[in-house]
Amino acid sequence: EKNSTTMKISATALALASLTGLCYSFTTTNTGSLKIRPASTTAILSATVEEAATYADPSRYLSDHPKNNVPPHIAALVGRGLHTRPDHPIGIIRAKIQEYFASLPNEYIVYDAEDPIVTTTQCFDDLRIAPDHPGRSPSDTYYLDDSTLLRTHTSAHQSEHLRSGVDCFLCAGDVYRRDEIDSSHYPAFHQLEAVKLFPKEDMAGADGLSGEDWENSAECKVIADDLKKTLEGL
């Protein structure tokens, strides 16, 4: 976001058979926080399997709406909750990532059983994805109707959590894109995203900067160094 000090840096840090990714985002803002450190990763994994399974109802995603392009075989994939199963490879990697973030100074809330149906506002508009971006196209995205879809990334939940006042959180889930199946693409896969907010007062020196001015600022370096340290630790 070039016209404010609300800046975000994202990077893919980990993948398992092209199905699981980690995105660590940093944003500056002036917001309150609600911090919870999980006492047991295994307990959280077990508790959310049932929650995720509530979405395993293909009829939620199939309809006669003219804009609905979700095929039955994709609808059948939703709600399996693979990332919440402690004995599944994706669940195991997710647990290790969560344990790592639990060891950091900041305390991260974990969101891992959110509804895969989101609005175009959540998935695109709130993230400032341009109206003509190809990711919005029905050839790339599974739509239920004109304004709802299967999330194409876990970032679709960022805005609601940031508005709630949370300053550090992990968001994990299954995501869907109309990709051609090959060695590195499949229409259903998983993401695990981490978001950390830096206090606005710590970024005050970069207020109003954009482009190269922001990139060359001391504040940008603070965020970049924190990102680098976090990913190297992982």
Side-chain angles (χ1 to χ4, degrees):
E1 301 175 24
K2 295 182 178 180
N3 296 321
S4 73
T5 57
T6 304
M7 306 299 296
K8 183 174 71 176
I9 302 174
S10 300
T12 299
L14 183 65
L16 170 65
S18 301
L19 297 179
T20 304
L22 168 70
C23 178
Y24 196 29
S25 303
F26 294 87
T27 310
T28 69
T29 189
N30 188 14
T31 182
S33 65
L34 174 64
K35 299 181 180 179
I36 301 173
R37 174 163 292 173
S40 169
T41 300
T42 302
I44 288 180
L45 283 170
S46 300
T48 54
V49 169
E50 184 176 350
E51 294 178 55
T54 63
Y55 306 128
D57 178 6
S59 66
R60 296 185 77 228
Y61 317 107
L62 303 174
S63 76
D64 295 328
H65 191 282
K67 292 296 181 66
N68 187 296
N69 62 352
V70 181
H73 72 278
I74 294 297
L77 296 176
V78 186
R80 293 180 298 168
L82 302 183
H83 62 292
T84 64
R85 298 182 183 178
D87 58 349
H88 192 281
I90 293 177
I92 292 170
I93 286 188
R94 171 201 176 280
K96 289 186 177 295
I97 295 172
Q98 182 174 320
E99 288 167 359
Y100 168 71
F101 276 93
S103 73
L104 300 180
N106 296 91
E107 297 176 282
Y108 289 79
I109 295 178
V110 178
Y111 298 101
D112 59 8
E114 295 169 297
D115 197 330
I117 297 177
V118 297
T119 66
T120 53
T121 298
Q122 290 174 288
C123 199
F124 302 124
D125 299 329
D126 283 352
L127 299 172
R128 299 190 177 185
I129 295 176
D132 59 350
H133 191 282
R136 291 179 180 256
S137 169
S139 64
D140 284 17
T141 295
Y142 292 109
Y143 281 90
L144 279 66
D145 53 38
D146 295 278
S147 60
T148 60
L149 58 135
L150 290 177
R151 62 186 170 213
T152 61
H153 43 213
T154 53
S155 297
H157 301 288
Q158 273 193 20
S159 60
E160 60 189 289
H161 298 319
L162 293 175
R163 290 188 184 106
S164 74
V166 180
D167 60 1
C168 293
F169 61 88
L170 302 180
C171 187
D174 43 332
V175 298
Y176 301 85
R177 297 179 188 175
R178 298 192 67 188
D179 289 334
E180 293 291 333
I181 298 175
D182 58 29
S183 61
S184 60
H185 294 85
Y186 193 73
F189 56 104
H190 288 76
Q191 290 183 342
L192 196 165
E193 180 173 68
V195 174
K196 173 182 177 181
L197 303 188
F198 287 77
K200 186 174 182 179
E201 56 270 21
D202 291 353
M203 299 289 115
D207 190 27
L209 298 183
S210 63
E212 291 186 3
D213 290 335
W214 157 254
E215 293 170 6
N216 294 327
S217 70
E219 289 77 10
C220 182
K221 186 177 187 305
V222 167
I223 295 177
D225 289 346
D226 193 293
L227 172 61
K228 183 174 184 289
K229 179 180 178 182
T230 301
L231 295 180
E232 288 178 343
L234 180 65

